[in-house]
Amino acid sequence: MGGLHHSLRVRLLVTFLLVVGIALGIVAIYASRVTASEFERSLSGILRYRDPRLESKINLILKTITHHDGERPIWEELGDLLVQMQFSSHIRFVLADLDGRVYADSESTLVGQMLNIDQSKPFAAFLIEGKPFLAYFEPLDVPNLQLISTQFTHSVNRAMLLAILVAGLFTLTLTLLLSRSILGPISALTRAAQQMGRGDLSQRVHVRARGEVGDLASAFNSMADSLERIEQLRRNMVSDVAHELRTPLANIQGYLEALQDGIVKPTPKMIASLHEEALALNHLVDDLQELALAEAGQLHMRLQPVDLAEVAEKAVIALEPQARAKDLQFEMAIPTGLPQAQADPERLGQVLRNLLNNAVSYTPTGGKISISAMPLGDTLTVSVKDSGEGIAPEHLPNLFERFYRVEKSRSRATGGAGLGLTIVKQLVEAQGGSVEVESTLGRGTTFTFTLPIAAPAPYGFAPRARPEGLNPA
């Protein structure tokens, strides 16, 4: 992994802390402002509540001032009015000038005294005998709301700062725990990948996590299994190719050395044997080259409508000598009027010859090999079935791997280099089809492949004319 600042754990931690810090900062600022405003409003409402009939009382004071007849001093009338107002509302009322000197008090105790007008706020103003006066109601000693609000806001800010620190610490701890559970499997995957890069393909990761990390671990293990299997197949391929080349090369070398030393003389039989060994080498090289081209997608295909029955008959005729040597019987179940396949006729013939050759090799003397075809939707399904000893289920998934051999039924004594079925799979897929195999021990094996239909056509099941040596199904 890279430096500390490139660590995913550090980046996750920084990201979480930034997100939490910004979120809490926004919440703190908003909460501080709202709290201060609500506190002042609530405190003011608690300490300085309003009389629901305050407006009517203001009008009553104005009416008394306006209709003063001079028979009694104005302050006596106003004092009596304030007493009546307190009696009806249970609220103390005071009238004072702009300096705070009290002229009328509903309880008559503050008359002549000074009122702290910085702490008490008026609810109305009047002009009495040409002089301005202010009206107050209890409580008259309201504390400094601004000071209290400031102190409360500072207290709230301290609490919010403490909350941010606690949340940051909690986020740090939680991030470390979560990053361990999240990044632990990734670290294990990194170490395993590094070990694989050094050539240890046995590496696997054991991750119990679910979700994407678990899927990644499963994909890594599947990839490791595939790489290990491919590496094993590669080693087997090198060994098998060396083995396949060694025998004909040894024979050719032996004959040539014998000719050089004058031990033997060239005879038609010797030349034929050398030619046969050279053909075997050439066939192996051609198979390897063709397989490499197929896997690289560089095989040249001449796709065209093809009569499957005609190609199958030619393939059967080509394998007829080997079949007769083992007293094997060919059967064909290809209906007349079968739709043409969209395929390369030469490659299709190669597929059928490889499958038939495989069937001939592994079918015991006196056995039977059948070829059948049926349309299925927009594809043709072609099957080659033999009555051989069958293949064990554990070998079937690997049967199309290059150089793969089943210990008993695919030994070198009975088979070729182990490339035929691999080439079959590549050729069929290159023509837009697929191939699969079914086998039952003691009852034989069936290879089935599909090809696209070139054009629809009516079909029946009337038997076709067979070449000599072929038996209808």
Side-chain angles (χ1 to χ4, degrees):
M1 298 183 71
L4 184 62
H5 63 287
H6 293 301
S7 171
L8 183 57
R9 188 189 304 273
V10 173
R11 284 185 286 170
L12 280 174
L13 176 59
V14 172
T15 301
F16 286 166
L17 288 177
L18 283 176
V19 170
V20 172
I22 293 173
L24 289 178
I26 294 174
V27 171
I29 295 173
Y30 178 76
S32 178
R33 293 184 177 181
V34 171
T35 302
S37 175
E38 289 297 315
F39 172 78
E40 183 174 354
R41 188 175 67 85
S42 300
L43 186 60
S44 177
I46 293 172
L47 299 179
R48 194 178 293 278
Y49 57 86
R50 294 179 64 87
D51 181 5
R53 294 175 293 177
L54 188 59
E55 294 298 329
S56 64
K57 291 178 171 58
I58 293 174
N59 293 331
L60 190 59
I61 295 174
L62 285 174
K63 183 178 180 182
T64 301
I65 296 172
T66 304
H67 295 84
H68 175 60
D69 55 8
E71 294 181 0
R72 297 175 60 197
I74 184 63
W75 294 112
E76 289 184 10
E77 291 187 28
L78 289 174
D80 293 341
L81 177 62
L82 295 184
V83 171
Q84 295 174 10
M85 291 168 56
Q86 179 174 348
F87 179 79
S88 63
S89 62
H90 304 287
I91 299 175
R92 186 179 186 179
F93 293 91
V94 172
L95 288 172
D97 61 16
L98 297 181
D99 295 327
R101 184 176 300 277
V102 178
Y103 282 77
D105 178 11
S106 62
E107 293 185 0
S108 303
T109 58
L110 293 179
V111 176
Q113 298 185 21
M114 299 299 294
L115 185 67
N116 189 348
I117 61 176
D118 292 332
Q119 291 183 328
S120 300
K121 296 183 180 180
F123 67 86
F126 305 98
L127 193 62
I128 303 174
E129 295 181 343
K131 184 179 180 179
F133 285 86
L134 301 174
Y136 300 87
F137 60 80
E138 67 174 354
L140 303 175
D141 55 346
V142 177
N144 191 329
L145 297 181
Q146 182 65 35
L147 178 61
I148 295 178
S149 177
T150 302
Q151 292 175 348
F152 181 77
T153 302
H154 288 167
S155 177
V156 170
N157 289 341
R158 286 194 299 270
M160 291 299 296
L161 179 60
L162 179 61
I164 291 175
L165 293 177
V166 172
L169 181 61
F170 178 76
T171 301
L172 176 63
T173 304
L174 186 61
T175 302
L176 292 176
L177 294 176
L178 289 177
S179 63
R180 179 177 299 177
S181 63
I182 296 174
L183 300 180
I186 296 179
S187 298
L189 285 167
T190 301
R191 290 192 297 270
Q194 290 172 344
Q195 291 297 323
M196 290 185 66
R198 298 186 184 100
D200 183 6
L201 299 181
S202 64
Q203 290 293 316
R204 301 293 185 274
V205 290
H206 304 284
V207 176
R208 297 180 180 178
R210 298 182 179 180
E212 289 80 358
V213 175
D215 294 341
L216 177 61
S218 298
F220 178 87
N221 289 336
S222 297
M223 178 194 69
D225 291 338
S226 178
L227 289 176
E228 188 173 28
R229 183 170 56 85
I230 291 173
E231 176 62 17
Q232 185 60 43
L233 289 174
R234 184 190 67 80
R235 294 174 181 174
N236 293 342
M237 180 188 71
V238 173
S239 176
D240 289 340
V241 168
H243 179 72
E244 293 295 331
L245 293 175
R246 185 179 295 112
T247 300
L249 285 175
N251 291 338
I252 293 174
Q253 181 180 357
Y255 279 123
L256 292 177
E257 288 177 351
L259 288 172
Q260 271 186 332
D261 297 338
I263 300 175
V264 297
K265 294 183 180 181
T267 63
K269 183 177 180 181
M270 179 187 298
I271 294 174
S273 178
L274 290 173
H275 183 258
E276 184 178 349
E277 297 294 352
L279 288 177
L281 287 173
N282 188 64
H283 181 69
L284 177 60
V285 171
D286 288 343
D287 282 349
L288 288 171
Q289 183 179 20
E290 190 166 60
L291 186 59
L293 290 174
E295 290 179 341
Q298 297 181 357
L299 273 180
H300 178 64
M301 290 285 180
R302 296 185 299 107
L303 299 179
Q304 60 188 52
V306 176
D307 187 346
L308 178 64
E310 180 180 344
V311 177
E313 289 174 357
K314 292 180 179 179
V316 168
I317 292 173
L319 272 296
E320 187 67 23
Q322 293 93 314
R324 286 179 179 173
K326 297 182 65 175
D327 193 23
L328 301 178
Q329 180 183 3
F330 279 124
E331 292 183 353
M332 293 185 63
I334 300 179
T336 57
L338 188 72
Q340 291 183 316
Q342 185 72 10
D344 184 316
E346 294 184 4
R347 301 299 185 185
L348 177 56
Q350 185 177 358
V351 168
L352 289 171
R353 286 193 299 273
N354 281 358
L355 292 177
L356 290 174
N357 183 67
N358 186 77
V360 169
S361 299
Y362 308 131
T363 302
T365 301
K368 182 174 65 175
I369 301 172
S370 63
I371 306 173
S372 61
M374 283 289 295
L376 183 62
D378 56 354
T379 62
L380 289 180
T381 301
V382 185
S383 297
V384 176
K385 181 178 181 180
D386 63 58
S387 59
E389 59 186 74
I391 303 171
E394 62 268 20
H395 297 297
L396 294 179
N398 303 317
L399 208 57
F400 294 101
E401 297 289 350
R402 62 173 71 189
F403 295 105
Y404 185 83
R405 299 177 187 271
V406 178
E407 185 65 23
K408 294 182 179 180
S409 61
R410 292 187 63 99
S411 64
R412 189 176 185 273
T414 59
L419 294 174
L421 294 180
T422 308
I423 293 176
V424 165
K425 182 175 184 295
Q426 294 293 335
L427 292 180
V428 169
E429 291 179 351
Q431 296 176 86
S434 61
V435 61
E436 59 184 22
V437 59
E438 296 179 356
S439 185
T440 303
L441 289 175
R443 298 185 61 181
T445 303
T446 302
F447 287 90
T448 303
F449 67 92
T450 62
L451 291 172
I453 291 179
Y459 64 93
F461 289 92
R464 295 173 54 90
R466 308 292 176 192
E468 184 179 354
L470 297 182
N471 296 318

